[in-house]
Amino acid sequence: MLNSSPNKVSLTALPPLALYIHFPWCEKKCPYCDFNSHQIKERVSKGGFDEQRYINALIADLETELPNVWGRQVHSIFIGGGTPSLLSAEGMDQLLCAIRARVNLEPDTEITMEANPGSIEADKFAGFAKAGINRVSIGVQSFQDEQLKALGRIHNGDEAKRAIEIAMKHFKSVNLDLMYGLPKQTLKAAKADVETALSFKTPHLSFYNLTLEPNTYFANFPPQLPSDDEVDAIFEQNLDLLTKAGYQRYEVSAYAKKNQECKHNLNYWRFGDYIGIGAGAHGKISFPDKITRQVRERHPESYMQAMETKDNALIESREIPAKDLPFEFMLNALRLTNGVATNTFSERTGLPLSAISQGLLEASKKQLLDENPSQLKVTPLGLRYLNNLQEIFLD
């Protein structure tokens, strides 16, 4: 059990601020996906949805948040989904221009857009780059047609390769999202996926273990997945291949070449702030005396109607109780392989280090945390049993 934490939060400085924009539509809902995504059912416009209406709602949503972040600079933008690359290049340009007119962006702000291979076109991506997108994250998942079919993906391996080639021509940075532990996946097949990904020499790679999330098709109709031992063998193989290719594992599922880490995601793991706009978007905003979280209307239609008829689309806006902050901070920071400086805890939570001192002692005794007092850093054992480590800080 942790020491009792003070009831009062006192921040001497506000953390870095990012902007997350959620795009809720996709061409097909994947059976493993538990994100807030909705399959396009009607051809409202060329993109399959009312693009202008949604952009208007996003801009209005951002404006409702401006009083909470006056004077603060935005360090990164991440446009996730769904499939944001279904937007037109003109629509993306309109959205980013509206953002620049309303918030102070730091020079060379990292602006990431998620994309699926089936929605990548050369001319359209040239337009995205011109609009200001400088980083793309492509949801490849696998390069093997059989695996892609089992995952319910709408693209094939050749389309994935072509999409990467197009992205590499237009953007400063490209990330590939891949999965392992796929239905009936063998060690050999997993190795082929990694080697194909490495052949493109993208500066960033993400590897996620396929898990059966609640309220998904796979949760109700589970496919035949590799055993835990087989998944462990695949992971160790992946890690060895990536390390030899010069990628550093800097977060549980993220690997990057030197100085190519995703700034936006690092801000999450370091317990930074982020404005969240769009259907179902979550946000975290700090003030000198409190830290708040927000959630927007989840369904796209409900979200747009709320922005058109009310002052905001919030369904939840709450102050995080001081007693919950230690766990929330450690839940994020412990995902980083190099950890964070110990004083970051007080800087980002406004609480004294004594709030987690008992947990730090327990985790160190179990060899889950490094004993270096200046760094909150997981050991290799702690990374392997991350859930157990994080639970130590659950009050």
Side-chain angles (χ1 to χ4, degrees):
M1 184 66 69
L2 303 185
N3 295 338
S4 297
S5 10
N7 293 320
K8 186 173 176 60
V9 171
S10 179
L11 293 172
T12 57
L14 299 179
L17 178 67
L19 171 63
Y20 174 76
I21 304 167
H22 191 75
F23 181 86
W25 289 284
C26 55
E27 293 187 77
K28 181 184 177 184
K29 182 78 172 180
C30 295
Y32 56 84
C33 178
D34 68 337
F35 295 141
N36 183 34
S37 59
H38 303 262
Q39 186 167 328
I40 296 171
K41 295 181 180 179
E42 296 180 5
R43 287 282 161 183
V44 179
S45 66
K46 185 179 179 181
F49 51 90
D50 195 333
E51 177 173 289
Q52 189 59 57
R53 187 183 177 207
Y54 193 68
I55 290 172
N56 290 344
L58 289 172
I59 295 169
D61 195 0
L62 177 61
E63 289 178 344
T64 68
E65 277 303 304
L66 295 181
N68 293 326
V69 295
W70 284 131
R72 299 179 65 180
Q73 191 174 55
V74 169
H75 297 268
S76 65
I77 298 174
F78 195 102
I79 307 167
T83 309
S85 50
L86 290 173
L87 275 168
S88 68
E90 295 77 16
M92 183 67 74
D93 184 55
Q94 180 188 353
L95 177 60
L96 292 179
C97 283
I99 291 169
R100 292 187 191 98
R102 288 163 176 79
V103 298
N104 178 20
L105 300 183
E106 76 170 0
D108 300 319
T109 298
E110 177 189 88
I111 305 178
T112 301
M113 178 189 70
E114 290 185 333
N116 283 334
S119 64
I120 293 180
E121 304 165 10
D123 290 345
K124 191 177 184 182
F125 268 51
F128 286 145
K130 187 176 179 180
I133 300 294
N134 52 33
R135 184 176 184 274
V136 167
S137 181
I138 304 176
V140 174
Q141 314 315 353
S142 175
F143 290 97
Q144 298 171 55
D145 292 350
E146 183 179 353
Q147 295 288 3
L148 291 168
K149 184 177 180 180
L151 290 172
R153 304 294 288 178
I154 62 172
H155 66 274
N156 60 37
D158 287 341
E159 288 171 331
K161 295 171 186 176
R162 177 177 173 272
I164 298 167
E165 290 170 352
I166 292 172
M168 292 286 285
K169 289 179 181 178
H170 292 290
F171 301 102
K172 179 180 177 181
S173 183
V174 175
N175 168 62
L176 306 182
D177 272 347
L178 293 109
M179 287 183 167
Y180 65 95
L182 306 180
K184 300 180 181 179
Q185 188 178 43
T186 64
L187 201 61
K188 181 179 179 181
K191 183 178 182 181
D193 269 348
V194 178
E195 289 177 338
T196 302
L198 291 175
S199 71
F200 290 98
K201 296 181 172 58
T202 61
H204 196 286
L205 294 167
S206 300
F207 277 88
Y208 300 97
N209 182 11
L210 175 62
T211 54
L212 306 185
E213 301 292 349
N215 303 314
T216 62
Y217 181 86
F218 272 2
N220 295 321
F221 304 96
Q224 182 182 339
L225 299 179
S227 68
D228 289 345
D229 287 344
E230 289 171 323
V231 170
D232 285 345
I234 290 172
F235 169 76
E236 293 298 336
Q237 174 185 256
N238 288 358
L239 182 59
D240 182 59
L241 290 168
L242 290 162
T243 301
K244 288 178 178 177
Y247 291 83
Q248 179 190 2
R249 186 189 186 195
Y250 70 94
E251 189 267 337
V252 171
S253 303
Y255 304 78
K257 295 282 191 178
K258 187 176 181 181
N259 299 323
Q260 293 296 318
E261 297 86 352
C262 176
K263 294 179 182 178
H264 188 87
N265 286 341
L266 279 175
N267 187 56
Y268 287 148
W269 309 137
R270 291 169 177 165
F271 212 52
D273 280 356
Y274 49 97
I275 304 166
I277 61 172
H282 291 234
K284 170 185 172 283
I285 304 294
S286 299
F287 301 86
D289 61 346
K290 63 183 178 181
I291 300 174
T292 63
R293 286 201 183 277
Q294 301 171 333
V295 184
R296 263 70 176 171
E297 287 277 1
R298 183 176 176 85
H299 195 277
E301 180 61 31
S302 300
Y303 169 77
M304 290 186 289
Q305 286 182 5
M307 292 313 309
E308 291 162 353
T309 61
K310 300 191 298 183
D311 291 336
N312 60 62
L314 294 175
I315 58 173
E316 182 182 340
S317 181
R318 65 181 180 88
E319 181 178 343
I320 306 174
K323 67 180 181 63
D324 294 342
L325 286 170
F327 176 67
E328 290 214 15
F329 176 88
M330 298 302 280
L331 184 69
N332 288 281
L334 294 177
R335 292 180 63 92
L336 294 170
T337 58
N338 287 331
V340 296
T342 302
N343 59 10
T344 307
F345 173 80
S346 295
E347 289 176 357
R348 299 292 160 86
T349 65
L351 302 175
L353 190 62
S354 60
I356 57 170
S357 59
Q358 193 65 34
L360 296 178
L361 181 62
E362 181 181 343
S364 294
K365 284 183 177 179
K366 292 181 177 180
Q367 299 183 328
L368 301 176
L369 266 187
D370 194 294
E371 294 183 354
N372 182 352
S374 66
Q375 199 79 0
L376 300 176
K377 179 182 177 181
V378 294
T379 62
L381 183 66
L383 201 57
R384 185 176 181 85
Y385 296 100
L386 185 58
N387 288 343
N388 303 78
L389 172 56
Q390 292 165 332
E391 286 173 2
I392 290 174
F393 299 91
L394 183 61
D395 189 358

